[in-house]
Amino acid sequence: MVKVMVTGATGLLGRAVVAELEAHADFEVLACGYSRAVQGIYRLDLTHCSQVTAFIKTHQPDVIVHCAAERRPDVSEQNPAAALALNADATRSLTQAASQSGAWLLYISTDYVFDGTTPPYNEHSATNPVNFYGDSKRQGEMIVTEAKQGFAILRLPILYGAVETLPESAVMILLHQLLDKNEQLVDDRAVRSPTSTADIACAIVQMIQLQTAGEPLSGHYHFSASGSMSKYQMLLAMGDLLGLSTEHLKPVTSPTDSAKRPHDCSLSCERLASLSIQSNVMFNSGIEKALQQSPAAMALLKK
């Protein structure tokens, strides 16, 4: 039985990872959350190093999947200290505790560690984030790398999946603009690769299985769906899927966000592909399933 600790287990990606792990009988899951911790979730404040150290010492996980993060670029720009506390400082606490206990750590990072000027980016491409969110995640990566314990970093693009609230996903929240029939200005500049959290969770489980079977995984890895599109194109696809008009959506090609976004951070995923770990969920089918699994989103559509 492999004991796997998952941070951010109440979040968008964390829930998918926990569900996929629990579908396998050979895993014991230690699901950790904080603000939304409910029965079955260990309440753990990752910003308190002593709590992290005590938890890992007590439960002795074999694997730690660090999903918890401040993932919102605009919020990170406005409150950099809070972003660093979770994306870097908490990562340091987990890395130190994992090093001491012998657990293998998988740190979830982002395509925003790149500047978006020379895609696609492979696992060895130079990082150069253009906003504070990307920089805070790069700092987390450096902490994990400097530990020199054979830990791994998994970079991911923009995510969608089953949501409890629409703001959990930068993709799913676009439904508000689809449903509000007043003229909506939608970004058609930044190129993204929307990727299913269920698809990612399958990849993470495969990585853990390889690691625990004696095939060490360390360093940087990328996982991403193959399709690239702007948020405007995502909305056109969702509108077509749901049979809703998109005539009120107006594409804009100049930046509109308060935090700068890179133009195109498309990821090349050679290292995982060489291990036969690849994305197999296309956007149309993935977003359709995510909508079906998201009562909050579907309730909006019925109004």
Side-chain angles (χ1 to χ4, degrees), residues 178-201:
L178 185 61
L179 296 170
D180 185 342
K181 296 307 178 181
N182 293 311
E183 181 176 284
Q184 301 290 318
L185 302 179
V186 187
D187 180 67
D188 194 31
R189 170 187 171 273
V191 178
R192 307 303 303 275
S193 300
T195 302
S196 159
T197 54
D199 200 19
I200 295 165

Side-chain angles (χ1 to χ4, degrees), residues 2-237:
V2 178
K3 192 180 292 188
V4 184
M5 173 183 175
V6 180
T7 72
T10 59
L12 179 66
L13 178 59
R15 291 196 305 270
V17 172
V18 168
E20 185 63 25
L21 286 166
E22 289 180 339
H24 293 74
D26 49 344
F27 293 120
E28 177 186 346
V29 183
L30 303 170
C32 300
Y34 183 63
S35 61
R36 290 186 286 174
V38 294
Q39 187 174 359
I41 304 291
Y42 291 96
R43 185 178 175 86
L44 180 63
D45 188 345
L46 296 175
T47 65
H48 284 71
C49 183
S50 59
Q51 285 190 32
V52 173
T53 302
F55 184 90
I56 292 175
K57 185 176 181 179
T58 298
H59 294 278
Q60 291 293 304
D62 302 297
V63 173
I64 301 170
V65 183
H66 183 23
C67 297
E70 174 49 72
R71 58 166 186 78
R72 298 164 295 180
D74 294 331
V75 172
S76 297
E77 211 76 23
Q78 295 159 9
N79 193 347
L84 276 180
L86 196 52
N87 295 350
D89 297 341
T91 302
R92 181 176 290 105
S93 299
L94 283 163
T95 301
Q96 291 172 346
S99 299
Q100 292 168 2
S101 70
W104 180 67
L105 176 71
L106 177 61
Y107 173 69
I108 304 303
S109 190
T110 174
D111 58 351
Y112 270 20
V113 297
F114 300 114
D115 61 17
T117 60
T118 56
Y121 293 92
N122 65 37
E123 294 84 352
H124 305 293
S125 297
T127 58
N128 184 35
V130 300
N131 57 41
F132 191 81
Y133 163 65
D135 187 61
S136 69
K137 293 299 288 183
R138 179 175 65 171
Q139 290 186 51
E141 288 191 9
M142 293 169 62
I143 290 165
V144 173
T145 301
E146 289 168 1
K148 297 181 180 178
Q149 296 290 328
F151 298 152
I153 294 159
L154 180 63
R155 294 178 178 138
L156 303 172
I158 191 171
L159 309 182
Y160 66 88
V163 295
E164 294 178 352
T165 62
L166 293 178
E168 283 190 309
S169 165
V171 177
M172 301 290 275
I173 198 172
L174 296 176
L175 281 169
H176 285 303
Q177 290 181 287
L178 185 61
L179 296 170
D180 185 342
K181 296 307 178 181
N182 293 311
E183 181 176 284
Q184 301 290 318
L185 302 179
V186 187
D187 180 67
D188 194 31
R189 170 187 171 273
V191 178
R192 307 303 303 275
S193 300
T195 302
S196 159
T197 54
D199 200 19
I200 295 165
C202 289
I204 288 173
V205 168
Q206 288 176 276
M207 292 178 73
I208 294 171
Q209 289 171 329
L210 287 173
Q211 173 68 26
T212 55
E215 184 169 343
L217 274 64
S218 64
H220 297 85
Y221 296 87
H222 292 171
F223 186 86
S224 172
S226 57
S228 296
M229 56 182 67
S230 66
K231 287 185 176 180
Y232 175 69
Q233 291 169 321
M234 294 178 209
L235 273 173
L236 293 183

